Amino acid sequence: MDKALFSYKGIKSVLAGLAILTAIQGAIIIIQAYFLADAISSLFGGDLFANVFKKLIIFFLALVVRQLLTVWKRNIAYRFAARTSKEFRESLLQKLFQLGPRFVKEEGSGQTVTLVMEGIMKFRRYLELILPKLMNSAMIPVMICIFIFFVNIRSAVILALAVPILIAFMILLGLAAKVKADRQYESYQMLSNHFVDSLRGLETLKYLGLSRQHINKIILVSERYRRATMGTLRIAFLSSFALDFFTMLSIATVAVFLGMDLINGKMELRPALTILILAPEYFLPIREVGADYHATLDGKEAGKKIQEILDKESLQQKQEPIPLWKSTSTFSVEGVSVHFPDSDRPALHDIQFSVSGSKKIGVIGASGAGKSTLIDILSGFLAPSSGEFQINGKKLTTLSQLNWQSQITYIPQHPYIFHDTVLNNIRFYDPEATMKEIEEAAERAGLTEVIRSLPRGFETIIGEGGRSLSGGQEQRIALARAFLGNRPIIMLDEPTAHLDIETEYELKETMLQLFKGKLVFFATHRLHWMLDMDLIIVLDQGKIVEIGTHEQLIGQKSTYYQLFKTQMRGI
Amino acid sequence: MDKENWIFPYLRQYRGLFALAILLGSLTILFGGALMFTSGYLISKAATQPESILMIYVPIVGVRAFGIGRAVLSYVERLTGHQFILKILSEMRVRLYKIIEPQALFLRSRVRTGDILGVLADDIEHLQDFYLKTLFPSIISLVIYTVILICTGLFSIPFAILLAVLIGLLIFVGPIISYIYMKTKNEQLKRGRNRLYQQFTDTIFGISDWIFSGKYATFIQRYETQEHQLLELETKKHSFVNWRDVMNQIVLGIIVVLAIYWANEQTVGGEFSPTMIAACGLVALSLVESFLPIAGAVSETSSYQDSLKRLEAIQAESSHPWIEADGWKDSLDLSQVTIEINHLSFGYPSETPLLDDFSLKIGQGEKIAIIGRSGSGKSTLLKLIQGALVPTRGEVLINGMNAHELASTVPKLMAVLNQKPYLFNTSVMNNIRLGNPEATDEEVYEVAKMVQLHQMIMQLPKGYETNMHETGQRFSGGERQRIALARILLQKTPIVIMDEPTVGLDPITEANLLATIFDTLKGKTIIWVTHHLIGVEKMDRILFLEKGKITMDGSHQQLLKSEERYRRLYALDRPLYRSKW
């Protein structure tokens, strides 16, 4: 049972509606069984078919009405599920944008997409399935059992006793299967992933000259997997076997006892036949609970997962007015630290510095020193665990401020190119820009030649599935966006680490042009950029170990100096 | 055609198991019917109040036997079905592997995301649903259909024909209409969903841009509108299913009423005893119910089509067949390997050539760095040297033999260290030993020491037996490259090809890794594609490639002396160099 189920909006009226319809349906099921039994026993007694026909018509109508009620209930559940999942999806999307790229990266982009697209669908399916099932299994067996009780106490007792026994067995067998599955889980995982692992690593296997022999391993593992799976299934299927077994055994027992009563003349055929027809109906809702087991489980898990994300604290606090960055503006970071829950060492510790106007600040340090974390904090993708910021003397606890972010151009190592035209990609931030402005931005970013060489110029589709661009060209698209938007602050996170040196050399000119008159934060481990920076922050293990101009830091002969020396020494 | 089919060959191969599963499935349903039949008969017979309980002894035993038998049969049936499907899955995996293996080196350039392989693996899993949820139930219902018709036909041909028509509505007409209706709806839905999927993926990958642009609210709105359109389609499907179910119930009701009418007629005519009326009514109810899910099962077949199409497509596209026999060139001298490239050109028809009249000679132990922008022909050159591509003109000779004719001998000649070495989901020990499966533990320790990982591995909770993926986070980029390097050392090839192994590493890690690489690879030929000039001083020759041609060529010292462009680039990697120059 899922407690969360009762917290959804409008669930009460939905449940009430379903309960009323289910009660009617229960009555219809009894009517249906009664008239079928009545017709048959009358015929058995030698009545003419014409006299019985009316009863059969009632049976027939009951059958149809019963199905119509099922349809009605399904529709109620369907509408409720659609409405609830829509609300879930909207809040989830909203939340995703609030949590930002850091969250997406932690979860995995693919995972996030799957959760929103498929998770929501599974969740909807779950709501759709579970509500009528819950009602049916809670009400119909009880109604049938009470009815039978008034007809024949012994049958009612047999049926009533069968359920707890059945459930107890299912639980026991379920546990046994789980124990066995748990025990095998590790090898199980290994085996089931082996094939995907092999395909992904195929290139490596080929280089090692092993790809051909590896097929024997695939056969071997597949066979082992099959045997392991069959072992688990043998036990897992036992629970549905128990369900079947006890259902069938109870029906058979009821039939035999009814037969005895009939022989002894204690009972008539009609009530006996009614009970016999009702017996499978009694078990049906219980058996249906187990059907679609996986769909139900998946949907429930998805719902839980979505709720977890919705419960996450979002970064966006109160939105403050932040004036546009000018040459007289000041910005300072005061005692900012970042702790990630899964690490004992702070990712950033007591960061403290201040800048003003159009300064270029280089951020340098080894991998894991905290460069990206610092850029993420400054971009508002991450809230500091402690410390604060000041913009023009105004205190802020986080930079997840729309008014701050709308002043920033952010250029990561792999700027994302949308599956769209070159034109739309360049004017992504400024959809209103004129063609002339766009052409000028492209020109300044050094894209004119590239665009001219494309089959449809500005209208060429690029991005995933479109015409592919080289790493350098992708950076130039990002630069064109930046030139077009002309935002006063620029954040760069390793924009050239993956580029070949000639491309980097050419880009450098363009980028330095872009930096003019702007506040720039530039995280990189490419040292040559530092010579063009006004201030350099050297990070080591999350702390600022040095801060100053290039000349000052070289003079100090400390960490920064060592970095340069490593490069000069060569290998 | 047969070759490309992913369903029927397996039915033929495992026909024994298949037939058994069908038989068991049919018996399960028939036993269920028999249970209702005998219990109906039992209580009608009892209602005639026979003198002795012995008169109803046989039906009592029958009721119990059929009840328990049904449960047992359904259990055995499910196991048999899964046994069958798991065997097929094994075969399919092997088949998929044989298709993909020969194309391994080309896949990355051909498909968009590396995950296509995962998708294919999933497709195979999807096909198991086709067998279990559609194929088996459909065939089983045909068997039941036949049994019912034969049984009634023994008594009355016209009634059998009537039943054939009515049940035909349930297992032919309904499913066919459903299939046709659902097919178009499912296709529309899938198209819509795929479009949405792409848009959403695009947005999630570009999420920071959406945030900085401050206009994500418009995206959410647009997304919801599209979701709404899809929901409307689904609602149509939903109500179609609802009405189909109502129709099914109507047919069911008619059949039950008719069965009772017919049994009554037989009784009046003296063919049956009156006890048969209840039996026939109940058996009709139970058996006809088993036909109801067929329409749903058949109409969902269209959802397997995609998986089938993808698998068939990858097979149709495979240009390189799986070669069973290994061609092994014994005559190769592994101690002295010379690579000779003469007037080599390579390109795809109607495109500018990727390599154009390219010549190069590399002697044993020579160390060459290749630098160029993306698209300059670097990777093509590497593939040609590895013999994975066949030159359009000219030749690549390895000790006088054409590289592309060496086939599976190549891994004995050259090892590859690329950007992202793949580490398999197994122990560290096994990952390193992949370089030479015959290597002893001591040899593995030896190479681990050489790449300076031994200490670090020994500190892991299970040492060399630690699973790679459990510690996935613990191995940094540099360490992963060192494991790959250890592998290569075990492989003991005279040539090592390095394809930008240090991209993304910070300068200190990079310098240390390169030092280890050059130290451990002494005496081997090195062909190194690199994106910048860190470490090039150690090379004998540096080649700059542009549009398939060499633009600069020489040792570091030579280039430094003669090329202004080289000096400029070098200054970028040695920022303080210019002040000293």
Side-chain angles (χ1 to χ4, degrees):
Chain A
M1 218 23 199
D2 187 2
K3 280 195 205 87
L5 208 53
F6 296 100
S7 63
Y8 303 137
K9 210 172 86 196
I11 184 81
K12 287 202 183 98
S13 61
V14 166
L15 286 180
L18 287 178
I20 293 169
L21 292 178
T22 308
I24 299 172
Q25 206 175 20
I28 298 273
I29 289 172
I30 293 168
I31 291 171
Q32 177 197 336
Y34 176 82
F35 280 94
L36 181 61
D38 195 14
I40 291 174
S41 52
S42 301
L43 287 175
F44 180 77
D47 223 341
L48 285 176
F49 187 80
N51 298 341
V52 181
F53 191 61
K54 230 189 305 174
K55 291 169 184 167
L56 282 174
I57 290 294
I58 296 176
F59 154 73
F60 179 77
L61 287 178
L63 193 77
V64 176
V65 171
R66 174 187 177 183
Q67 186 62 33
L68 287 174
L69 283 169
T70 303
V71 167
W72 193 350
K73 279 160 64 180
R74 269 194 219 156
N75 282 341
I76 291 179
Y78 179 84
R79 276 198 300 270
F80 172 73
R83 199 173 60 229
T84 310
S85 57
K86 180 181 152 70
E87 278 161 17
F88 253 60
R89 190 175 49 229
E90 275 171 349
S91 338
L92 183 61
L93 287 173
Q94 200 82 36
K95 196 75 176 189
L96 281 180
F97 284 110
Q98 283 168 8
L99 292 173
R102 248 202 125 83
F103 171 80
V104 171
K105 207 166 155 195
E106 271 165 34
E107 286 292 301
S109 319
Q111 297 270 55
T112 313
V113 174
T114 313
L115 185 68
V116 174
M117 301 272 316
E118 276 161 43
I120 294 270
M121 225 149 65
K122 283 179 183 160
F123 176 66
R124 200 181 90 197
R125 183 102 186 94
Y126 159 69
L127 288 181
E128 220 175 293
L129 288 171
I130 193 85
L131 291 176
K133 261 195 217 168
L134 271 180
M135 267 315 154
N136 287 352
S137 62
M139 293 176 66
I140 291 178
V142 178
M143 289 178 71
I144 292 177
C145 198
I146 290 174
F147 173 80
I148 293 177
F149 183 81
F150 286 108
V151 181
N152 180 295
I153 296 176
R154 188 158 60 185
S155 300
V157 170
I158 295 172
L159 292 180
L161 280 180
V163 171
I165 297 176
L166 190 155
I167 290 174
F169 263 85
M170 279 180 68
I171 291 175
L172 275 177
L173 288 168
L175 286 178
K178 194 171 171 321
V179 168
K180 184 153 166 97
D182 282 350
R183 212 167 17 185
Q184 290 190 337
Y185 186 73
E186 231 169 273
S187 67
Y188 218 67
Q189 278 299 83
M190 206 274 281
L191 295 174
S192 70
N193 291 332
H194 179 261
F195 186 57
V196 179
D197 197 38
S198 305
L199 288 185
R200 294 226 167 104
L202 198 52
E203 197 181 347
T204 304
L205 287 175
K206 188 114 184 170
Y207 289 145
L208 293 168
L210 296 173
S211 55
R212 215 159 274 281
Q213 291 134 262
H214 192 72
I215 200 153
N216 296 322
K217 203 146 197 181
I218 288 185
I219 296 172
L220 192 79
V221 171
S222 266
E223 279 304 293
R224 253 166 53 203
Y225 177 64
R226 185 172 62 81
R227 256 172 299 186
T229 313
M230 287 310 291
T232 314
L233 287 183
R234 263 191 278 278
I235 293 183
F237 287 165
L238 271 182
S239 67
S240 59
F241 168 72
L243 186 64
D244 265 358
F245 182 80
F246 283 105
T247 311
M248 291 301 158
L249 198 64
S250 321
I251 296 175
T253 311
V254 167
V256 170
F257 276 113
L258 289 173
M260 299 295 197
D261 282 353
L262 283 163
I263 286 186
N264 300 333
K266 282 190 206 155
M267 207 179 182
E268 283 183 29
L269 179 60
R270 196 180 52 197
L273 206 51
T274 312
I275 293 173
L276 190 63
I277 295 169
L278 279 176
E281 301 282 4
Y282 170 80
F283 288 105
L284 190 65
I286 303 171
R287 292 159 67 95
E288 273 175 351
V289 172
D292 301 309
Y293 175 74
H294 285 287
T296 317
L297 197 68
D298 284 359
K300 197 171 150 182
E301 286 301 311
K304 214 154 71 188
K305 181 87 198 142
I306 293 166
Q307 194 63 54
E308 266 169 33
I309 294 176
L310 290 181
D311 290 343
K312 267 190 204 297
E313 207 180 321
S314 59
L315 296 167
Q316 282 178 13
Q317 306 287 328
K318 203 165 123 264
Q319 294 298 322
E320 304 276 356
I322 299 171
L324 201 66
W325 186 263
K326 291 195 300 265
S327 57
T328 54
S329 305
T330 59
F331 170 70
S332 62
V333 177
E334 299 185 355
V336 161
S337 298
V338 174
H339 291 265
F340 292 123
D342 51 353
S343 162
D344 36 358
R345 186 173 68 80
L348 284 179
H349 181 69
D350 198 20
I351 300 297
Q352 193 116 21
F353 66 88
S354 59
V355 292
S356 66
S358 46
K359 281 273 163 51
K360 296 191 280 287
I361 298 112
V363 180
I364 201 151
S367 313
K371 298 193 299 288
S372 294
T373 313
L374 182 60
I375 292 290
D376 279 356
I377 285 225
L378 296 176
S379 311
F381 291 157
L382 186 66
S385 317
S386 59
E388 59 180 26
F389 308 95
Q390 281 193 22
I391 299 173
N392 297 339
K394 185 182 173 114
K395 287 185 182 182
L396 291 166
T397 50
T398 127
L399 292 175
S400 304
Q401 301 282 344
L402 295 178
N403 288 325
W404 174 254
Q405 288 178 327
S406 65
Q407 300 186 35
I408 298 177
T409 300
Y410 172 75
I411 303 184
Q413 186 175 357
H414 295 281
Y416 190 69
I417 304 299
F418 291 94
H419 175 82
D420 208 333
T421 58
V422 175
L423 186 69
N424 286 337
N425 262 295
I426 294 177
R427 67 174 176 197
F428 183 82
Y429 288 85
D430 309 270
E432 312 292 313
T434 64
M435 200 58 212
K436 194 165 160 282
E437 289 169 328
I438 294 168
E439 275 169 3
E440 198 190 305
E443 172 69 39
R444 294 179 72 184
L447 270 176
T448 311
E449 271 308 304
V450 179
I451 294 172
R452 204 169 289 155
S453 73
L454 293 175
R456 304 192 53 212
F458 272 106
E459 295 301 324
T460 313
I461 300 277
I462 49 176
E464 179 94 2
R467 181 140 192 131
S468 66
L469 300 178
S470 71
Q473 288 165 345
E474 286 180 355
Q475 280 303 354
R476 286 188 193 280
I477 295 272
L479 292 176
R481 279 179 196 158
F483 277 118
L484 185 63
N486 201 23
R487 296 181 171 198
I489 306 169
I490 303 180
M491 302 280 171
L492 301 111
D493 193 358
E494 291 288 8
T496 60
H498 61 302
L499 300 177
D500 67 276
I501 190 155
E502 287 174 275
T503 307
E504 184 179 20
Y505 183 82
E506 289 163 7
L507 270 176
K508 192 171 180 181
E509 295 303 309
T510 316
M511 286 167 72
L512 291 176
Q513 285 296 318
L514 176 68
F515 295 168
K516 275 186 191 152
K518 297 192 172 79
L519 175 64
V520 176
F521 287 95
F522 194 152
T524 182
H525 48 234
R526 300 285 291 155
L527 292 171
H528 64 86
W529 290 101
M530 293 306 121
L531 302 179
D532 298 292
M533 297 289 131
D534 302 317
L535 184 73
I536 295 161
I537 296 175
V538 185
L539 288 172
D540 189 28
Q541 312 224 359
K543 291 192 200 103
I544 294 184
V545 287
E546 281 179 291
I547 186 161
T549 63
H550 172 72
E551 284 70 25
Q552 286 170 344
L553 296 184
I554 287 290
Q556 284 179 9
K557 293 204 184 253
S558 181
T559 315
Y560 185 74
Y561 175 77
Q562 289 301 331
L563 280 171
F564 268 80
K565 231 177 100 186
T566 314
Q567 291 236 318
M568 289 313 296
R569 190 190 63 218
I571 45 168
Chain B
M1 225 15 232
D2 230 6
K3 209 183 108 219
E4 283 175 22
N5 198 300
W6 286 81
I7 300 230
F8 294 104
Y10 301 107
L11 291 185
R12 218 168 304 137
Q13 191 178 353
Y14 291 107
R15 51 183 176 269
L17 264 180
F18 179 67
L20 184 63
I22 296 290
L23 177 72
L24 288 168
S26 310
L27 281 179
T28 305
I29 292 176
L30 290 175
F31 267 48
L35 170 68
M36 291 318 282
F37 184 88
T38 38
S39 41
Y41 177 81
L42 165 69
I43 61 167
S44 315
K45 186 78 186 166
T48 60
Q49 299 197 337
E51 299 89 70
S52 153
I53 193 162
L54 282 177
M55 297 293 290
I56 56 163
Y57 185 70
V58 173
I60 286 179
V61 171
V63 165
R64 286 190 179 143
F66 287 129
I68 295 166
R70 206 207 95 108
V72 173
L73 278 171
S74 112
Y75 175 70
V76 180
E77 181 225 343
R78 290 180 75 186
L79 282 182
T80 316
H82 278 85
Q83 175 84 325
F84 169 78
I85 198 69
L86 287 170
K87 283 204 167 164
I88 290 184
L89 284 188
S90 281
E91 298 264 341
M92 284 186 178
R93 287 199 196 102
V94 171
R95 180 163 159 200
L96 182 59
Y97 187 83
K98 281 187 176 175
I99 293 170
I100 293 180
E101 191 271 343
Q103 336 179 36
L105 301 187
F106 306 102
L107 272 176
R108 189 176 300 167
S109 52
R110 242 192 30 208
V111 291
R112 296 190 291 173
T113 335
D115 259 354
I116 184 83
L117 297 174
V119 172
L120 286 172
D122 280 349
D123 282 338
I124 287 188
E125 306 283 320
H126 277 164
L127 287 184
Q128 76 173 346
D129 278 353
F130 169 74
Y131 285 99
L132 288 176
K133 293 192 180 147
T134 306
L135 196 62
F136 282 159
S138 305
I139 296 181
I140 288 170
S141 66
L142 283 179
V143 173
I144 305 288
Y145 183 60
T146 320
V147 171
I148 291 177
L149 294 187
I150 290 173
C151 287
T152 44
L154 289 176
F155 296 99
S156 152
I157 300 289
F159 184 61
I161 292 172
L162 186 60
L163 274 187
V165 174
L166 282 171
I167 299 178
L169 288 177
L170 296 179
I171 63 167
F172 300 119
V173 180
I176 288 170
I177 294 174
S178 292
Y179 179 77
I180 294 168
Y181 180 85
M182 291 296 190
K183 197 171 176 215
T184 46
K185 283 279 174 296
N186 280 342
E187 269 165 18
Q188 284 170 353
L189 261 177
K190 191 166 293 152
R191 262 201 306 276
R193 213 143 263 296
N194 280 347
R195 202 170 44 230
L196 212 52
Y197 205 93
Q198 275 164 12
Q199 282 175 11
F200 191 57
T201 311
D202 214 32
T203 306
I204 284 293
F205 275 106
I207 189 167
S208 37
D209 291 304
W210 279 99
I211 290 176
F212 285 119
S213 75
K215 53 179 189 183
Y216 56 79
T218 46
F219 170 78
I220 296 183
Q221 206 179 7
R222 209 175 63 211
Y223 184 86
E224 282 301 324
T225 328
Q226 295 192 50
E227 277 277 1
H228 185 72
Q229 285 164 359
L230 290 181
L231 183 70
E232 277 176 356
L233 262 176
E234 280 192 58
T235 310
K236 278 192 195 142
K237 253 179 82 175
H238 180 79
S239 62
F240 176 84
V241 170
N242 278 339
W243 289 112
R244 185 184 69 204
D245 288 354
V246 172
M247 294 313 288
N248 276 346
Q249 287 294 330
I250 290 175
V251 175
L252 167 79
I254 293 172
I255 294 176
V256 172
V257 171
L258 276 174
I260 292 170
Y261 171 77
W262 177 72
N264 187 51
E265 287 299 297
Q266 300 295 100
T267 315
V268 174
E271 295 271 329
F272 283 178
S273 80
T275 46
M276 289 299 281
I277 303 174
C280 285
L282 292 189
V283 80
L285 199 58
S286 145
L287 287 185
V288 176
E289 264 178 353
S290 75
F291 295 129
L292 301 187
I294 296 303
V298 171
S299 60
E300 285 310 309
T301 336
S302 50
S303 56
Y304 309 118
Q305 303 285 351
D306 273 0
S307 297
L308 263 182
K309 267 189 207 142
R310 252 193 306 263
L311 288 170
E312 275 165 13
I314 189 111
Q315 180 157 32
E317 278 169 26
S318 69
S319 42
H320 308 259
W322 167 265
I323 307 154
E324 216 53 70
D326 268 4
W328 168 244
K329 308 275 188 219
D330 275 328
S331 52
L332 268 173
D333 174 14
L334 290 183
S335 62
Q336 282 296 325
V337 181
T338 316
I339 302 172
E340 219 175 318
I341 301 174
N342 298 321
H343 305 289
L344 174 68
S345 293
F346 183 85
Y348 296 99
S350 80
E351 275 176 40
T352 39
L354 293 163
L355 283 173
D356 192 7
D357 198 26
F358 183 94
S359 294
L360 180 69
K361 189 173 174 192
I362 308 170
Q364 180 62 48
E366 238 190 301
K367 297 181 174 12
I368 292 193
I370 302 174
I371 296 170
R373 302 158 203 268
S374 58
S376 61
K378 294 170 298 186
S379 354
T380 313
L381 179 61
L382 292 188
K383 287 217 169 71
L384 283 158
I385 294 176
Q386 290 167 53
L389 291 174
V390 182
T392 333
R393 249 176 303 119
E395 52 189 6
V396 180
L397 297 176
I398 294 174
N399 277 2
M401 276 182 269
N402 270 315
H404 63 270
E405 284 166 2
L406 291 172
S408 51
T409 315
V410 171
K412 299 270 173 210
L413 284 168
M414 46 189 104
V416 178
L417 195 61
N418 53 6
Q419 232 183 78
K420 284 202 174 116
Y422 192 81
L423 301 178
F424 291 87
N425 183 11
T426 171
S427 64
V428 177
M429 177 67 103
N430 285 342
N431 261 296
I432 296 179
R433 211 193 323 247
L434 278 175
N436 174 13
E438 267 100 61
T440 62
D441 286 3
E442 280 65 37
E443 284 172 292
V444 173
Y445 299 150
E446 189 56 38
V447 290
K449 277 176 193 154
M450 286 167 77
V451 301
Q452 295 162 23
L453 271 185
H454 184 69
Q455 287 285 328
M456 185 258 175
I457 297 171
M458 290 308 276
Q459 279 161 13
L460 291 174
K462 285 188 247 163
Y464 278 86
E465 290 310 314
T466 314
N467 188 294
M468 210 72 212
H469 282 207
E470 280 167 39
T471 53
Q473 304 301 320
R474 236 173 283 170
F475 286 93
S476 66
E479 285 158 356
R480 295 169 76 89
Q481 284 295 359
R482 280 172 194 266
I483 290 190
L485 180 62
R487 244 184 224 167
I488 282 172
L489 293 176
L490 277 184
Q491 209 178 339
K492 294 206 178 85
T493 57
I495 304 169
V496 173
I497 290 176
M498 305 203 295
D499 193 356
E500 308 201 13
T502 60
V503 162
L505 301 181
D506 69 68
I508 296 172
T509 313
E510 175 177 36
N512 292 340
L513 176 65
L514 284 176
T516 311
I517 289 177
F518 293 137
D519 194 34
T520 50
L521 296 184
K522 267 197 190 106
K524 294 181 195 279
T525 306
I526 296 180
I527 303 170
W528 175 28
V529 167
T530 176
H531 65 297
H532 56 215
L533 299 175
I534 305 291
V536 288
E537 302 92 337
K538 295 265 174 176
M539 307 307 278
D540 301 321
R541 261 171 102 180
I542 306 166
L543 299 181
F544 280 75
L545 233 57
E546 202 165 314
K547 292 179 183 150
K549 284 188 184 296
I550 298 175
T551 52
M552 284 196 272
D553 182 1
S555 73
H556 172 63
Q557 288 306 330
Q558 287 166 346
L559 290 175
L560 213 49
K561 257 194 217 114
S562 59
E563 297 277 354
E564 166 60 23
R565 184 163 142 236
Y566 184 78
R567 282 196 291 272
R568 256 188 0 236
L569 293 175
Y570 190 68
L572 212 55
D573 271 326
R574 299 286 189 283
L576 294 186
Y577 193 82
R578 61 181 163 196
S579 38
K580 288 187 188 169
W581 181 254

